[in-house]
Amino acid sequence: MQTISCRFCGTSLHRTFVDLGVSPLANAYVEPQELQRMEPFYPLRVYVCDACYLVQLEEYQSPEQIFGDYAYFSSYSDSWLQHARDYTAHMIARFAFDASSQIVEIASNDGYLLRYFKERGMAVLGVEPARNVAEVAIEAGIPTLIEFFGTHTARSLAAQGKHADLLLGNNILAHVPALNDFIMGMKILLKPQGVITMEFPHLLCLMKSNQFDTIYHEHFSYFSFIVVEKIFAKHGLTVFDVKELPTHGGSLRIYTCHAEDASKALTHRVQELRSRELRHGFNELATYTTFAEQVQATKRALLAFLITAKQEGKAVVGYGAPAKGNTLLNYCGIRTDFLDYTVDRSPHKQGRFLPGTHIPIYHPDKIKETRPDYLLILPWNLKDEIQEQMAHVREWGCRFVVPIPRVEVLE
Ligand SMILES: [Zn+2]
């Protein structure tokens, strides 16, 4: 058997955090004419390093294949735009960035966030590997390098005299295969008194709320705070503040500076979160190795619910076609034998099929036509919003069900 090693410390990995079987890429929605073709499946097995406790996936596909032509345009989501506006205002107020400041964003997408800094007169630069998305940003006047960020990008910018006052990356850290090269690159690009902020899903929330469906091939690493602190420290960067955010079921925003920069005081939040994770046993291997049983119990409970519903002659359909739904359905082996179809508001997904399970995706109006007995909410993090939007299904006695954190028929 081929041995694989930790993407941070290089120790060989042999401890399983959770094994979700084999799955297609979670964003590989299937076109009707592709249904008869072979579909690639990859193992979805997560390891925990027993030396540094970084929870991680083995890399099965090259990042170019996964991110070369990315279908998700962040500007489409209202809540993300609000998040970006709030972030910009907060950062400018706190760190007094002005017209002389250089802002660099890694994985800048279509430039939705950088344009708020640009409106305030600052120099902005995006780095975005997905060409189709980067081109939208460039057309909108946000200068963008079309490449993967790492020491190579950082050295070439530094050679042109370009360094960052603010270097930020939202929802990128989990996607980085060459983690050490990426963080070394940030160290090179950051001005002596510059600030780095990174937002990423928090492992503590993933484990506490049983969010195993947020595990998919595009997410290579799953970070706790103590591990992220250790990784940045190794590269001469100090995490001086942290904020807990509700995004993606619970995320962290870390604030980082050069270890040599004495101008930034460590906040009490750093100490508090570190102690909380230690209380949760994040520095003990046993904490990680018990997660798998919780995941298997959820699978059994969801299948038990579906089997009972079907035996009673009930119709169950899905709501939403998010990437996380694909992990859940493939892991549990749920196809049209249990779930007749799902619906999604995105016109990009309607008319296509879920990867692996080949469950068809329709417009939400389909639900009024077929009047199912249960609506399984796949993006469980939006359950309040969806229950409100779909309140009319209660007219014929349809009930809402969420699979995570535990299978529950909502009242
Ligand atoms: Zn390690």
Side-chain angles (χ1 to χ4, degrees):
M1 200 178 125
Q2 189 195 354
T3 62
I4 55 165
S5 47
C6 173
R7 69 169 42 86
F8 170 55
C9 77
T11 304
S12 67
L13 299 174
H14 44 84
R15 268 316 152 180
T16 301
F17 175 67
V18 65
D19 186 350
L20 299 174
V22 291
S23 245
L25 295 183
N27 283 308
Y29 294 89
V30 179
E31 300 287 352
Q33 68 273 17
E34 293 169 340
L35 284 173
Q36 310 304 327
R37 284 190 210 151
M38 201 161 69
E39 199 179 0
F41 276 60
Y42 304 89
L44 195 48
R45 180 174 179 185
V46 191
Y47 295 87
V48 56
C49 173
D50 50 17
C52 75
Y53 302 130
L54 176 62
V55 172
Q56 57 196 296
L57 270 186
E58 189 182 353
E59 192 182 321
Y60 296 100
Q61 279 234 318
S62 73
E64 283 80 5
Q65 277 170 298
I66 295 180
F67 302 113
D69 198 21
Y70 194 38
Y72 178 69
F73 284 66
S74 53
S75 289
Y76 291 159
S77 151
D78 293 344
S79 54
W80 265 109
L81 292 182
Q82 187 56 46
H83 184 74
R85 271 194 296 270
D86 294 348
Y87 170 82
T88 309
H90 163 76
M91 293 303 288
I92 292 174
R94 178 166 176 187
F95 297 103
F97 296 122
D98 59 24
S100 68
S101 305
Q102 173 71 57
I103 317 295
V104 180
E105 183 180 11
I106 305 171
S108 49
N109 215 296
D110 59 3
Y112 74 105
L113 195 157
L114 283 177
R115 79 189 153 99
Y116 295 115
F117 284 101
K118 197 184 169 202
E119 279 167 12
R120 304 283 291 262
M122 292 160 207
V124 298
L125 177 67
V127 184
E128 170 57 58
R131 175 168 293 275
N132 60 335
V133 182
E135 279 168 356
V136 175
I138 294 167
E139 264 168 50
I142 306 295
T144 304
L145 299 175
I146 306 175
E147 58 189 66
F148 283 95
F149 180 82
T151 50
H152 175 78
T153 315
R155 287 205 181 96
S156 112
L157 287 169
Q160 302 162 39
K162 239 183 200 157
H163 288 90
D165 293 282
L166 171 62
L167 182 52
L168 70 120
N170 291 340
N171 298 305
I172 175 64
L173 209 53
H175 297 276
V176 174
L179 194 56
N180 288 314
D181 184 73
F182 184 89
I183 296 175
M184 236 187 287
M186 292 200 287
K187 173 86 181 166
I188 294 167
L189 193 56
L190 191 67
K191 277 192 189 167
Q193 299 212 325
V195 176
I196 296 171
T197 71
M198 291 271 133
E199 289 180 20
F200 50 87
H202 189 190
L203 181 67
L204 181 68
C205 297
L206 186 154
M207 290 175 71
K208 250 174 63 181
S209 312
N210 197 27
Q211 301 166 7
F212 65 88
D213 58 343
T214 61
I215 294 168
Y216 36 91
H217 297 102
E218 291 87 335
H219 288 170
F220 299 134
S221 310
Y222 302 81
F223 299 100
S224 66
F225 182 66
I226 56 170
V227 167
V228 109
E229 261 198 308
K230 197 159 37 180
I231 295 173
F232 277 78
K234 171 90 190 296
H235 295 288
L237 295 163
T238 300
V239 179
F240 65 91
D241 196 7
V242 60
K243 188 168 190 243
E244 291 174 79
L245 306 166
T247 45
H248 298 289
S251 296
L252 294 182
R253 179 192 296 152
I254 53 165
Y255 297 76
T256 306
C257 63
H258 284 291
E260 304 81 4
D261 178 3
S263 70
K264 315 229 174 6
L266 221 64
T267 70
H268 68 278
R269 287 180 290 272
V270 168
Q271 182 56 46
E272 191 280 322
L273 186 54
R274 202 189 285 147
S275 331
R276 185 155 24 112
E277 285 194 350
L278 293 176
R279 278 202 307 278
H280 274 91
F282 271 29
N283 59 342
E284 292 155 43
L285 198 58
T287 307
Y288 300 90
T289 50
T290 52
F291 182 65
E293 173 46 35
Q294 181 180 326
V295 173
Q296 288 159 16
T298 308
K299 174 176 180 169
R300 293 192 295 267
L302 180 58
L303 288 174
F305 164 77
L306 290 169
I307 289 167
T308 307
K310 293 312 268 187
Q311 278 171 344
E312 289 170 351
K314 310 276 196 212
V316 189
V317 306
Y319 187 95
K324 59 163 80 79
N326 293 328
T327 292
L328 178 79
L329 298 172
N330 277 297
Y331 168 61
C332 295
I334 296 165
R335 300 184 179 79
T336 51
D337 45 359
F338 285 120
L339 212 59
D340 299 346
Y341 60 85
T342 192
V343 299
D344 201 280
R345 292 207 296 174
S346 162
H348 301 290
K349 292 180 181 171
Q350 291 162 11
R352 296 168 126 188
F353 294 79
L354 298 182
T357 60
H358 292 187
I359 293 170
I361 310 166
Y362 297 117
H363 186 281
D365 282 352
K366 179 84 176 174
I367 290 173
K368 272 183 279 187
E369 284 168 38
T370 74
R371 297 161 75 97
D373 301 291
Y374 291 107
L375 201 54
L376 178 66
I377 300 177
L378 295 170
W380 42 261
N381 50 320
L382 305 174
K383 68 174 181 191
D384 295 338
E385 207 175 311
I386 290 167
Q387 283 185 93
E388 226 169 90
Q389 269 168 34
M390 299 300 293
H392 61 276
V393 307
R394 295 189 198 271
E395 281 169 28
W396 64 82
C398 178
R399 301 172 82 189
F400 295 96
V401 184
V402 287
I404 308 273
R406 69 196 148 276
V407 183
E408 192 183 352
V409 179
L410 303 172
E411 290 314 323

